[in-house]
Amino acid sequence: MKKFLLFVLGLVALAVLLANLGPMVLLAVGGWLLYVVFKKFLKTESTLKKIGLVVIGLIVVCITLSNIYAVIGVAAAYVLYMIYKEWKREPKEREFSDDPFTNFEKQWAELNKL
């Protein structure tokens, strides 16, 4: 049952990720363009070029902020990663014995470790 729920949750997260893939790319490109414009702004000496770079920067900020909901896609990618880790994890095997004193001794040893 747990694997089935992980599978269904993984399908939902994958659908959300694929639906937000375009905005995620535009958000990343917008961030990169803002970085390039900022670096050019710091290097230039001309006031006219600085004004032009500020205008370009504001346009890129508007484009980037319009794709801010792409963070939902990033969260879906993180959920997919966590589901993948949980799916590959080996379950712990418990050793049970019919002897009640053996189980008591194991539990007592675990309590003494704390």
Side-chain angles (χ1 to χ4, degrees):
M1 184 69 170
K2 185 177 179 183
K3 294 273 187 178
F4 177 72
L5 289 177
L6 284 175
F7 180 73
V8 170
L9 186 62
L11 283 178
V12 170
L14 182 65
V16 170
L17 177 67
L18 290 177
N20 288 312
L21 198 60
M24 287 171 58
V25 170
L26 288 176
L27 184 69
V29 168
W32 176 75
L33 282 175
L34 280 175
Y35 174 75
V36 170
V37 167
F38 180 72
K39 286 295 188 178
K40 293 233 183 233
F41 178 81
L42 291 178
K43 288 182 183 178
T44 189
E45 297 290 329
S46 170
T47 305
L48 189 60
K49 285 183 181 179
K50 283 191 178 198
I51 292 172
L53 287 172
V54 166
V55 169
I56 292 171
L58 289 175
I59 292 170
V60 172
V61 164
C62 290
I63 293 170
T64 304
L65 287 179
S66 69
N67 290 310
I68 197 68
Y69 61 90
V71 175
I72 296 170
V74 175
Y78 180 71
V79 168
L80 274 175
Y81 172 71
M82 295 304 291
I83 289 172
Y84 176 75
K85 278 180 53 175
E86 182 70 25
W87 193 281
K88 293 295 179 183
R89 190 171 56 116
E90 295 292 326
K92 285 185 177 180
E93 292 184 21
R94 290 188 167 186
E95 296 178 15
F96 290 108
S97 173
D98 290 337
D99 186 17
F101 296 107
T102 306
N103 290 332
F104 174 77
E105 291 296 327
K106 286 180 186 177
Q107 290 176 353
W108 186 257
E110 288 176 4
L111 285 174
N112 285 334
K113 287 181 185 178
L114 297 176

